[in-house]
Amino acid sequence: MPKFAATHSLNDYPKITISNYKKSLDNAPAETIKLNYFYLGQQYRYQISITETPCHYGGKRHWFNCPQCGRRASTLYCHGRYVCRQCLGLHYKSQLIQPLDRLFSRVSKIRVRLQWQQGIAYGHGNKPKGMHKTTFARLVNEHDEIVNRIVEKML
């Protein structure tokens, strides 16, 4: 069961990514990155270590080492100090979507593809010009199945 949407997602926190430092690391390899910033009125000054792993077809990939747990991460999120998402207990936005909202989202995408008016209350529309009959039938069938599941959950 997904977490309730009241939980914070990764989008709620400032972040740094290793890709922001890629060019400088390729030109001048470093083992640490020095950070100096203010967050909520408090100054933070520390270093984050960097590791690299070889890629299968040559080259190398850089990673941050999380200052709290030591895991490799390409992105660190700020909540005072920059740490990995596991240390903050954060979830991706898609992990916080409720099952009923997923169904409504899927129906909406199908209705856009079928060029029908948005909202399940509007019923069926016509087959879009140029769409194959079997594709239209498959999408209408999927649409109807999802709408039935929505109605069941709403009752």
Side-chain angles (χ1 to χ4, degrees), residues 18 30-31 49-53 61-65 72:
I18 197 71
E31 292 185 8
S49 63
I50 297 172
T51 58
E52 31 181 74
T53 57
R61 180 172 290 123
H62 298 283
W63 301 92
F64 291 122
N65 286 331
R72 282 191 324 218

Side-chain angles (χ1 to χ4, degrees), residues 4-139:
F4 283 110
T7 307
H8 290 287
S9 72
L10 296 175
N11 297 343
D12 299 331
Y13 294 90
K15 67 180 178 180
I16 57 172
T17 61
I18 197 71
S19 61
N20 295 347
Y21 298 95
K22 183 179 180 350
K23 286 185 181 179
S24 62
L25 289 171
D26 288 341
N27 294 338
E31 292 185 8
T32 60
I33 290 178
K34 295 178 183 177
L35 295 178
N36 184 12
Y37 60 92
F38 284 90
Y39 183 75
L40 299 177
Q42 187 175 355
Q43 184 175 10
Y44 292 88
R45 187 177 300 173
Y46 58 96
Q47 296 181 355
I48 297 177
S49 63
I50 297 172
T51 58
E52 31 181 74
T53 57
C55 296
H56 289 292
Y57 294 107
K60 56 189 171 196
R61 180 172 290 123
H62 298 283
W63 301 92
F64 291 122
N65 286 331
C66 175
Q68 190 167 327
C69 67
R71 287 187 183 134
R72 282 191 324 218
S74 64
T75 306
L76 297 177
Y77 298 90
C78 183
H79 188 65
R81 291 178 53 115
Y82 279 96
V83 293
C84 68
R85 75 177 187 91
Q86 287 88 0
C87 290
L88 288 177
L90 296 177
H91 301 280
Y92 293 107
K93 196 171 187 177
S94 62
Q95 293 174 310
L96 300 174
I97 297 173
Q98 297 299 310
L100 189 59
D101 292 334
R102 287 183 195 278
L103 293 175
F104 274 111
S105 176
R106 181 65 188 139
V107 165
S108 178
K109 287 180 184 179
I110 291 171
R111 292 186 75 84
V112 166
R113 189 158 174 211
L114 291 170
Q115 299 172 3
W116 292 353
Q117 188 172 356
Q118 289 299 306
I120 60 175
Y122 291 106
H124 290 184
N126 298 325
K127 180 178 85 65
K129 184 176 181 179
M131 182 177 283
H132 200 277
K133 289 178 184 177
T134 56
T135 302
F136 178 73
R138 179 179 49 82
L139 289 173

